[in-house]
Amino acid sequence: MKDPKAFILENTEILTPPHVPEIRLRLASEVHDLWQKTESELEAIGLPPPFWAFAWAGGQGLARYVLDHPDCVAGRRVVDFASGSGLVAIAAAKAGAASVLAADIDPFSGVAAKLNADLNGVTISFTEKDLMGTTPDCDVLLAGDVFYDAAWAAALLPWFERLTARGITILVGDPGRAYCPTEQLQKLAEYQVPVTRVLEDSEVKRTTVWRFAGHD
């Protein structure tokens, strides 16, 4: 298997996410067979599912909100949790965050996020550490499209509760995933985000940006 940087450069092209055209990312496109590879094929070449190769609707909506409302991150220490391509982290850096840490357990994500940050002329840090259960040294935690799995959503909620109780603002971008706990969230904005049918069940996903409020 080639090194991650070589793999990413060979299997992506520089594109602009449709809802965040200010940002350029190295993404998979129809011309690259990352679109078509099955999970078993990826496992055979030692590659985790390449979430970093796509601009997911939740991340696009959250990045749009951050760019349009820079006061939510400006001058603050920001963590982009489950960062993937680094899209939301890059948006936070562009919006004037004091520091940005992109966090993702996939090492390919770290390489992709660094390449993408360089494309956009911003500086972000990266960690492969699993932050779940820790208290990150930040003022704002951004989480794009994290409620796609029942077990993981159930684990996220008590962690988000603890972080909120400690004064960390949590902003979530979600395109209507089944496990999104809307009863614990405060709606901030809603967008119609173009996506690809290869990844989603429609060509446009209604995506909401929420502030995690926890239980009353």
Side-chain angles (χ1 to χ4, degrees):
M1 157 110 210
K2 293 185 177 179
D3 71 273
K5 183 175 180 180
F7 183 88
I8 291 167
L9 293 176
E10 289 177 11
N11 288 277
T12 60
E13 62 182 290
I14 297 171
L15 302 170
T16 56
H19 208 63
V20 199
E22 304 96 318
I23 292 177
R24 303 162 72 221
L25 300 173
R26 286 200 161 272
L27 300 172
S29 73
E30 287 88 342
V31 301
H32 292 102
D33 63 0
L34 269 180
W35 284 101
Q36 310 299 336
K37 286 189 186 299
T38 65
E39 194 166 337
S40 60
E41 288 176 312
L42 292 169
E43 190 175 328
I45 60 174
L47 179 69
F51 297 121
W52 50 265
F54 307 100
W56 299 90
Q60 287 196 59
L62 186 53
R64 179 77 272 148
Y65 183 84
V66 166
L67 289 172
D68 290 347
H69 303 84
D71 287 353
C72 70
V73 297
R76 299 181 182 183
R77 299 164 301 159
V78 174
V79 167
D80 176 25
F81 175 68
S83 185
S85 68
L87 168 59
V88 178
I90 291 164
K94 281 181 165 285
S99 64
V100 181
L101 175 65
D104 200 297
I105 60 173
D106 182 356
F108 281 80
S109 173
V111 179
K114 175 65 166 61
L115 288 168
N116 290 331
D118 290 347
L119 273 178
N120 291 277
V122 298
T123 299
I124 63 174
S125 302
F126 183 85
T127 182
E128 289 178 34
K129 182 180 178 182
D130 184 358
L131 297 185
M132 287 272 286
T134 72
T135 302
D137 186 19
C138 67
D139 306 301
V140 180
L141 186 137
L142 304 173
D145 217 337
V146 294
F147 292 113
Y148 55 84
D149 176 82
W152 204 38
L156 280 174
L157 290 179
W159 182 49
F160 280 5
E161 290 269 11
R162 289 194 299 274
L163 297 185
T164 300
R166 291 171 182 171
I168 295 174
T169 298
I170 299 174
L171 302 182
V172 173
D174 185 83
R177 302 296 184 204
Y179 308 107
C180 184
T182 55
E183 70 283 354
Q184 293 181 247
L185 303 170
Q186 173 190 356
K187 182 186 285 190
L188 300 178
E190 189 173 282
Y191 305 103
Q192 299 295 325
V193 180
V195 292
T196 172
R197 290 299 293 263
V198 174
L199 297 176
E200 301 285 7
D201 57 2
S202 63
E203 293 181 352
V204 176
K205 296 290 285 186
R206 185 174 69 179
T207 298
T208 305
V209 175
W210 308 87
R211 179 180 176 274
F212 185 79
H215 292 292
D216 293 332

